[in-house]
């Protein structure tokens, strides 16, 4: 059984939550571990007509058989975490690394009032940047010192390695997207740490040798929320006409958008060491493909769109999203 990792290939909001939820349901994942920054990310998925959103727990939260872990590199907002644990009734299967950093009210205040962060960068205002800054200064409180979440503490790296020894199925969940990386994105319009696959591994405490598949999630068009450059950005009217207008799941802000960018996708594959990719929201570009679950039933233009991307990237679109529901996926994995 493999340890797979899923990361975002663009600017976040590529549909990682839906792809991960699909894999968890299909592959009966034993352990899902979340890496990335923290509650600035919102992963959304629709299951049996209901919409779920997670900002702290992995997107496997709905599956009662999956252990839910949060890696040491992730920042925790205890209030948000405890709410999610309650709403998914995940008390017995949530594990928070004692070395996770804790976001305090002062971090949220700074993130949502300081003009550089709020207006120029357009952060999510969730306190993650200021908390990571305190962590670099070695003055941030850690989960091991936080009484509110003491019942959930467990060393995530050891948990993952013990699941690996048992040859169990493990899924590592990245958050944000490659071009929000502090190192590889368009600084300063980025998040507060690196978010490529290597860093997600470091966040949860696992080395690159243990990873079987690195799945990069691309949306069929690009969206970005907050400041910073976006090549071929569409005007609002055009976004509306194409049905690409979206709202941020954490902040409710309107997302900006542009068509699929093959050069960004290529670079993203290299930065993450991608072994395959997932393509989401194909039905937004090709409404006739909504809900299709077999590749052969896709329309000719949709197939052409996918095959051109596959040829350019030299990788296969192993998972293709054709609708909001978790099950609306074409699964071409071997
Ligand atoms: P921060 O991560 O809140 O500091 O925000 C820095 C930049 O990253 C802003 O442009 C945010 O909109 C963006 N950002 C952070 N997390 C996400 C995410 O999960 N999805 C999309 N954009 C994000
Ligand atoms: Mg999101």
């Amino acid at each position: 059984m493999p340890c797979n990792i899923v990361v975002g290939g663009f600017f976040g909001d590529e549909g990682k939550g839906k792809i991960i939820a699909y894999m968890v349901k299909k592959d009966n994942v034993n352990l899902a571990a979340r890496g990335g920054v923290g509650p600035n990310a919102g992963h959304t998925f629709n299951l049996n007509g209901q919409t779920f959103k997670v900002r702290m727990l992995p997107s496997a939260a709905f599956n009662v058989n999956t252990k839910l872990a949060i890696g040491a590199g992730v920042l925790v907002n205890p209030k948000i975490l405890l709410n999610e644990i309650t709403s998914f009734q995940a008390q017995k299967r949530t594990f928070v690394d004692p070395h996770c950093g804790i976001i305090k009210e002062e971090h949220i205040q700074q993130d949502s009032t300081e003009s550089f962060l709020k207006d120029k960068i357009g952060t999510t205002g969730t306190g993650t940047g200021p908390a990571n800054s305190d962590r670099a200064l070695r003055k941030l409180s850690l989960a091991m010192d936080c009484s509110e979440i003491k019942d959930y503490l467990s060393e995530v790296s050891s948990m993952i390695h013990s699941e690996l020894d048992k040859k169990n199925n493990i899924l590592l969940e990245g958050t944000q997207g490659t071009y929000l990386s502090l190192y590889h994105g368009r600084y300063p319009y980025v998040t507060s740490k690196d978010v490529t696959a290597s860093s997600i591994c470091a966040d949860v405490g696992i080395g690159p040798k243990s990873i079987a598949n690195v799945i990069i999630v691309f949306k069929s068009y690009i969206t970005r929320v907050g400041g910073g450059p976006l090549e071929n950005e569409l005007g609002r009217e055009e976004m509306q006409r194409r049905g690409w207008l979206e709202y941020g799941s954490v902040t409710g802000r309107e997302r900006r958008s542009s068509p699929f960018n093959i050069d960004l996708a290529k670079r993203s594959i290299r930065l993450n060491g991608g072994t395959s990719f997932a393509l989401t929201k194909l039905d937004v570009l090709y409404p006739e493909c909504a809900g299709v679950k077999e590749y052969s039933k896709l329309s000719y233009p949709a197939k052409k769109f996918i095959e051109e991307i596959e040829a350019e990237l030299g990788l296969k679109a192993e998972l293709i999203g054709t609708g909001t529901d978790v099950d609306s996926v074409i699964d071409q994995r071997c």
Side-chain angles (χ1 to χ4, degrees):
M1 286 288 198
C3 178
N4 294 327
I5 177 164
V6 176
V7 294
F10 289 140
F11 298 91
D13 306 314
E14 300 92 350
K16 292 181 289 297
K18 182 243 170 73
I19 292 296
I20 291 164
Y22 170 81
M23 291 172 77
V24 165
K25 201 168 167 224
K26 187 83 205 280
D27 306 348
N28 211 3
V29 169
N30 298 88
L31 171 73
R34 184 156 162 159
V37 187
N40 49 349
H43 289 179
T44 310
F45 53 90
N46 291 299
L47 198 62
N48 308 325
Q50 225 187 318
T51 301
F52 298 93
K53 200 192 298 182
V54 279
R55 289 174 56 192
M56 289 285 11
L57 288 178
S59 304
F62 67 92
N63 193 352
V64 293
N65 300 320
T66 307
K67 289 180 197 145
L68 310 171
I70 301 176
V74 179
L75 294 165
V76 169
N77 177 321
K79 198 168 150 220
I80 296 174
L81 174 66
L82 291 170
N83 276 338
E84 290 181 6
I85 293 174
T86 305
S87 62
F88 286 97
Q89 299 191 326
Q91 289 83 355
K92 297 253 155 61
R93 53 199 172 93
T94 297
F95 305 91
V96 179
D97 196 284
H99 285 98
C100 286
I102 297 291
I103 298 173
K104 296 252 169 79
E105 197 48 44
E106 72 215 44
H107 301 121
I108 298 171
Q109 273 298 319
Q110 191 185 343
D111 205 9
S112 48
T113 55
E114 210 171 84
S115 155
F116 178 76
L117 292 172
K118 181 173 181 276
D119 304 322
K120 179 155 189 213
I121 308 300
T123 72
T124 58
T126 52
T128 49
N132 270 336
S133 160
D134 272 358
R135 184 151 196 173
L137 294 170
R138 268 65 46 88
K139 59 183 198 188
L140 186 69
S141 303
L142 299 184
M144 63 171 87
D145 306 313
C146 177
S147 58
E148 284 167 279
I149 57 171
K150 65 176 184 340
D151 295 345
Y152 303 106
L153 299 183
S154 177
E155 211 199 297
V156 169
S157 173
S158 307
M159 283 180 71
I160 296 178
H161 283 89
S162 122
E163 297 286 333
L164 277 175
D165 291 343
K166 288 187 239 160
K167 308 230 176 314
N168 279 345
N169 208 350
I170 304 161
L171 187 58
L172 307 184
E173 174 166 347
T175 64
Q176 284 75 40
T178 299
Y179 295 105
L180 291 177
S181 159
L182 180 63
Y183 301 157
H184 304 290
R186 297 169 183 195
Y187 187 91
Y189 300 101
V190 290
T191 192
S192 50
K193 61 189 266 199
D194 178 42
V195 286
T196 58
S198 318
S199 281
I200 303 301
C201 289
D203 286 340
V204 301
I206 184 173
K209 253 172 56 182
S210 306
I211 305 296
N213 302 296
V214 181
I215 301 150
I216 316 296
V217 184
F218 296 120
K219 192 154 62 182
S220 296
Y221 50 97
I222 293 181
T223 56
R224 154 157 227 182
V225 61
L230 180 63
E231 259 173 83
N232 303 317
E233 182 168 356
L234 301 179
R236 191 169 189 275
E237 237 169 68
E238 183 58 18
M239 273 162 60
Q240 229 158 359
R241 195 186 67 76
R242 296 188 189 202
W244 293 4
L245 196 60
E246 296 181 3
Y247 297 89
S249 66
V250 171
T251 57
R253 287 181 295 180
E254 210 168 278
R255 292 178 183 154
R256 302 152 60 199
S257 71
S258 77
F260 193 94
N261 182 327
I262 198 68
D263 294 324
L264 284 185
K266 273 187 193 167
R267 183 161 169 252
S268 192
I269 297 291
R270 286 200 300 268
L271 289 168
N272 291 290
T275 56
S276 71
F277 69 98
L279 189 68
T280 62
K281 297 212 178 188
L282 186 70
D283 55 301
V284 175
L285 256 55
Y286 304 99
E288 72 280 9
C289 299
V292 169
K293 292 178 189 173
E294 283 169 55
Y295 191 84
S296 61
K297 294 194 175 148
L298 289 177
S299 64
Y300 174 75
K303 282 185 191 158
K304 191 161 171 277
F305 176 71
I306 296 165
E307 284 159 23
E308 278 173 9
I309 297 172
E310 287 181 326
E312 288 274 1
L313 300 183
L315 291 177
K316 191 168 164 188
E318 287 197 330
L319 295 164
I320 300 166
T322 56
T324 52
D325 198 79
V326 162
D327 295 316
S328 295
V329 168
I330 298 168
D331 189 343
Q332 306 200 88
R333 296 176 297 169
C334 306

